[in-house]
Amino acid sequence: MSRTVFCQYLQQEATGLDFQLYPGELGSKIFNSISKEAWSKWQAKQIMLINEKKLNMMNPEHRQFLEQQMEAFLFQGEDIEIEGYKPPAS
């Protein structure tokens, strides 16, 4: 049986993550209040950020930048703007 959480990103009850995907206190906060759907949306944004900004995950400053963007996206409802990216026309 899957667990449900009140997702802070979606602002509704949704299926929670199966296990803690991120370390530390922030990881616990994500596990307890972010849904699978919201995490999936973040992962798509994260990949775009890493690629477009040419982030190196071995660089502590780049990891810190990505973590700040993650918190803003998941918990503060900020949409991540990626310079030069234009979504495909529908």
Side-chain angles (χ1 to χ4, degrees), residues 23-36:
E25 188 176 316
L26 179 56
S28 294
K29 184 177 176 184
I30 291 168
F31 181 72
N32 291 321
S33 57
I34 297 297
S35 68
K36 282 184 179 181

Side-chain angles (χ1 to χ4, degrees), residues 13-57:
E13 289 287 324
T15 303
L17 298 167
D18 294 325
F19 51 90
Q20 186 172 324
L21 298 168
Y22 200 80
E25 188 176 316
L26 179 56
S28 294
K29 184 177 176 184
I30 291 168
F31 181 72
N32 291 321
S33 57
I34 297 297
S35 68
K36 282 184 179 181
E37 180 184 348
W39 184 255
S40 178
K41 289 179 183 207
W42 162 247
Q43 285 182 309
K45 291 285 188 177
Q46 175 180 258
I47 290 167
M48 292 171 67
L49 275 171
I50 291 169
N51 290 337
E52 294 300 320
K53 295 198 175 281
K54 297 176 177 37
L55 300 178
N56 176 354
M57 294 299 90

